[in-house]
Amino acid sequence: MGPVDPDRPRRRASRPADEPRSSTRRKSAPSRSKAVDAGSAMAAAIDQLAKLLGRPPESVSSLKPTDSGWDAQVEVMELERIPDTTSVLASYKVSLDEEGTLISFERTRRYTRGMIDRPF
């Protein structure tokens, strides 16, 4: 910075110099009082999807928190066959809000029980 020009007008202070500076603390984010934990979110995903599909889910293969709640991947048997390795399963993406209420679901994959994932 260059030298200070004494003839140049200065900006007025927003508060008097003798007034103490107020602490401007940032308010903490509101707590999610009705937010569910991972176990409750998993149980909610299973229960609500079972009611919609009319079939009990086999398992929850993934569960992760999002900004708006939870996303889960739920496996459901869609067609039971003999031998069991030929039964058809489906993987559903389930979205829950912060309170554990199902917002949406979508079938993302169908496969036989005996099928294994292989690298591409």
Side-chain angles (χ1 to χ4, degrees):
M1 292 191 122
V4 177
D5 184 4
D7 296 331
R8 185 174 178 185
R10 294 183 143 187
R11 245 192 290 176
R12 234 179 63 196
S14 59
R15 59 177 172 78
D18 59 340
E19 184 178 308
R21 188 173 193 170
S22 65
S23 67
T24 54
R25 285 191 173 174
R26 189 174 171 189
K27 292 183 181 179
S28 62
S31 65
R32 298 185 334 178
S33 60
K34 292 186 178 182
V36 296
D37 62 355
S40 300
M42 189 180 306
I46 289 170
D47 293 341
Q48 294 175 64
L49 190 62
K51 287 178 185 173
L52 289 170
L53 297 177
R55 292 185 282 280
E58 295 274 313
S59 65
V60 175
S61 56
S62 75
L63 179 71
K64 54 186 165 186
T66 64
D67 292 337
S68 60
W70 296 90
D71 277 346
Q73 203 70 29
V74 181
E75 311 304 316
V76 178
M77 185 182 328
E78 293 202 328
L79 183 59
E80 191 170 3
R81 291 184 176 160
I82 298 174
D84 192 43
T85 54
T86 61
S87 294
V88 178
L89 286 93
S91 186
Y92 286 86
K93 179 183 177 188
V94 179
S95 297
L96 306 169
D97 66 9
E98 292 178 342
E99 297 167 2
T101 305
L102 190 136
I103 298 171
S104 67
F105 72 97
E106 170 187 11
R107 183 172 62 196
T108 56
R109 177 177 172 229
R110 284 185 80 172
Y111 58 98
T112 59
R113 186 181 295 277
M115 196 166 129
I116 61 170
D117 289 334
R118 292 190 175 135
F120 297 108

